[in-house]
Amino acid sequence: MTSHAFWPSVFLPPMTSRTLPTTADLARPSVTEPLPASPPGTAPWLLFRAATPLGQALLVTDGEGRLRALDWHDHEPRMRTLLARQYRHASPELQETRQAPAAHAALLRYFSGELHVLDTLPVALAGTDFQRLVWRTLRDIPPGQTLSYAELARRIGRPAAIRAVGLANGANPISLALPCHRVIGSNAALTGYGGGLHRKQWLLEHEHALPLRPAYPLNGTLPGF
């Protein structure tokens, strides 16, 4: 556990296949194919607000428990805008909940040092074919490693589409589980991150992709807040 692991100790039962599907489960079309928002009259998506060392995280899950969005409290308007754009034919209704989804337990474990626990969380995506290709490829970048935008473009077979890859990366609705923070500039610069560069640097240090800076105060205050 690094010096970042000031997250309070929480007992969590071992993840089972009921809470974290296997890689085979995630290969099913229902996870990676475009999925419409819930039609009118069905249950709204649930918005859960979770305390983390990086501030309050916003977890949006659908009726099947799949993550539709994961963002930060200070970027909530952007999250809602992205969802409205990506599900423009049936804009989802969000309902606040205090009942933690299964994804919350995995999030706690990630911040406690289990860096691979988010890799197999079930997610559901809208967006364009190109965006979904970029977002799925993000999951191939393991914790502790980074990838340049140019290399990401090459991996999806579109080496000239570096700018488009950057735009798709910026429109990623599910932070951490689809780790857009692991994409950096070709000169190793951190460049942009929708959650703020201070979070991007903290996450990469937490994952041992960057050397640690001096430990943050135990009250969780971060530079830029």
Side-chain angles (χ1 to χ4, degrees), residues 1-219:
M1 191 175 297
T2 72
S3 62
H4 281 156
F6 54 79
W7 187 244
S9 298
V10 178
F11 174 76
L12 295 170
M15 274 309 170
T16 67
S17 59
R18 280 186 258 182
T19 52
L20 286 180
T22 64
T23 302
D25 291 330
L26 293 179
R28 296 173 184 168
S30 62
V31 173
T32 56
E33 293 300 317
L35 292 168
S38 301
T42 61
W45 295 352
L46 299 179
L47 170 59
F48 180 77
R49 299 176 184 273
T52 81
L54 288 174
Q56 189 181 75
L58 310 177
L59 288 77
V60 176
T61 52
D62 62 21
E64 298 181 37
R66 299 170 298 190
L67 268 177
R68 295 284 186 152
L70 198 167
D71 215 314
W72 305 99
H73 70 102
D74 46 333
H75 297 284
E76 183 170 348
R78 181 199 62 186
M79 179 193 76
R80 291 178 178 271
T81 297
L82 285 176
L83 288 174
R85 287 176 180 171
Q86 294 169 10
Y87 296 94
R88 59 187 180 277
H89 298 302
S91 184
E93 175 190 352
L94 300 186
Q95 178 177 301
E96 299 265 358
T97 181
R98 293 185 179 182
Q99 183 174 351
H104 179 234
L107 189 65
L108 292 180
R109 293 177 67 174
Y110 168 82
F111 279 114
S112 294
E114 297 183 44
L115 302 181
H116 288 276
V117 74
L118 301 179
D119 294 352
T120 53
L121 277 179
V123 302
L125 301 168
T128 66
D129 291 342
F130 181 83
Q131 287 175 324
R132 291 193 304 275
L133 176 60
V134 171
W135 298 336
R136 291 195 299 266
T137 306
L138 293 174
R139 274 195 154 171
D140 295 333
I141 312 172
Q145 296 185 25
T146 58
L147 199 69
S148 70
Y149 293 96
E151 179 57 30
L152 182 55
R154 285 192 288 270
R155 285 196 181 186
I156 66 171
R158 301 283 296 277
I162 299 174
R163 177 172 172 77
V165 163
L167 292 173
N169 202 57
N172 172 28
I174 309 177
S175 298
L176 301 180
L178 304 181
C180 53
H181 64 277
R182 295 175 192 159
V183 184
I184 63 175
S186 296
N187 61 352
L190 294 187
T191 66
Y193 176 60
L197 287 182
H198 58 286
R199 286 194 177 100
K200 183 170 186 171
Q201 182 154 354
W202 193 99
L203 291 167
L204 291 176
E205 290 174 356
H206 178 63
E207 296 175 352
H208 314 294
L210 290 177
L212 284 172
R213 296 171 295 172
Y216 293 112
L218 292 181
N219 63 9

